[in-house]
Amino acid sequence: MAKKLSEYSKKRDLRKSPEPKAGRKKGKGKRIFVIQKHDASTLHYDFRLEIDGVLKSWALPKGPSTDPSDKRLAINTEDHPYAYKDFEGVIPEGEYGAGAVLVWDTGTYENIKKENGRTVAMQKCFDRGHIEIRLEGQKLSGGFVLTKLKKGKKDQWLFIKMKDDAADARRNPVSTEPRSVLSGRTILEIEKSDEQDPDQ
Ligand code: MN
């Protein structure tokens, strides 16, 4: 599989960026997901899903939708370390992904992909290019599908809400709920707080 954790370290100078060092999950506990709002050269949302101790990652140019008729493009990017789930701050100018990062949503998830009554392992779902999960976050909940496009460029997936009780075509959490679920800050507040920090 391409895009291992080593690629994460290669892309970054972690002496200059406050991002966490490469590392896998230690210990057990329910598997998590996180969505980070990232004000890089273009604003996007990074969806990360814990699979086998690392965070599989996709960049969503428009962010997630709770409307099942929306098919949101999700570009698969390099695996991120487990500790990235708590990363909020500013990646400095000149570094990879420079700009503010905000933890937009986080929570646990359940693998709901079954075949002949048995759950298909997450890594296998990833390799096949079709993932079905139920999220339990603060902003997003219920079933979601991540499916790799057969045509078009490799790495292009779609992120789609399943039709269930948590589906809502009128809700638009990306615009109505912009704040961090960790600190309550907006992306602008994170950018500003970094400027005021004398250690930076
Ligand atoms: Mn990003």
Side-chain angles (χ1 to χ4, degrees):
M1 248 39 59
K3 302 203 166 87
K4 295 269 189 211
L5 208 48
S6 56
E7 194 173 326
Y8 172 89
S9 307
K10 255 183 254 162
K11 281 187 167 169
R12 295 167 170 78
D13 186 345
L14 295 170
R15 293 164 303 178
K16 291 181 183 157
S17 171
E19 293 167 289
K21 300 215 172 352
R24 307 176 77 85
K25 183 183 193 177
K26 292 183 184 79
K28 295 195 170 142
K30 276 191 142 188
R31 286 182 291 195
I32 63 100
F33 78 95
V34 61
I35 302 176
Q36 279 150 323
K37 184 176 182 177
H38 185 186
D39 193 11
S41 48
T42 40
L43 180 75
H44 61 273
Y45 292 76
D46 290 298
F47 179 73
R48 310 191 198 281
L49 201 57
E50 177 192 343
I51 299 180
D52 293 348
V54 299
L55 300 179
K56 293 281 169 202
S57 298
W58 291 262
L60 280 68
K62 288 179 156 181
S65 173
T66 53
D67 181 351
S69 65
D70 282 341
K71 292 176 175 62
R72 292 290 164 91
L73 180 65
I75 301 150
N76 183 225
T77 58
E78 76 276 15
D79 291 356
H80 276 51
Y82 181 71
Y84 213 90
K85 69 183 180 64
D86 301 314
F87 176 68
E88 191 166 277
V90 178
I91 302 169
E93 285 291 323
E95 296 310 305
Y96 181 74
V101 176
L102 168 158
V103 177
W104 186 79
D105 197 16
T106 191
T108 58
Y109 81 90
E110 191 188 337
N111 177 9
I112 54 172
K113 179 64 187 169
K114 291 206 163 105
E115 234 167 45
N116 306 319
R118 297 178 64 173
T119 304
V120 182
M122 283 304 293
Q123 184 65 52
K124 194 167 187 177
C125 293
F126 179 84
D127 292 343
R128 287 177 178 176
H130 188 87
I131 289 169
E132 294 179 15
I133 45 178
R134 190 181 295 125
L135 304 181
E136 223 176 290
Q138 296 184 43
K139 291 173 184 169
L140 297 187
S141 60
F144 283 84
V145 174
L146 262 165
T147 192
K148 197 172 180 176
L149 288 172
K150 297 208 168 59
K151 291 173 186 167
K153 295 190 183 122
K154 67 176 174 74
D155 302 334
Q156 288 191 342
W157 297 54
L158 294 174
F159 187 75
I160 309 159
K161 180 77 195 80
M162 285 181 183
K163 289 177 185 160
D164 59 19
D165 288 352
D168 188 343
R170 289 165 305 175
R171 226 186 122 202
N172 187 0
V174 160
S175 61
T176 61
E177 298 169 59
R179 289 178 183 274
S180 163
V181 294
L182 284 192
S183 65
R185 295 182 295 175
T186 62
I187 204 98
L188 208 63
E189 284 164 358
I190 291 171
E191 273 158 19
K192 282 195 181 135
S193 68
D194 190 67
E195 284 163 19
Q196 286 154 5
D197 188 341
D199 294 333
Q200 294 291 313

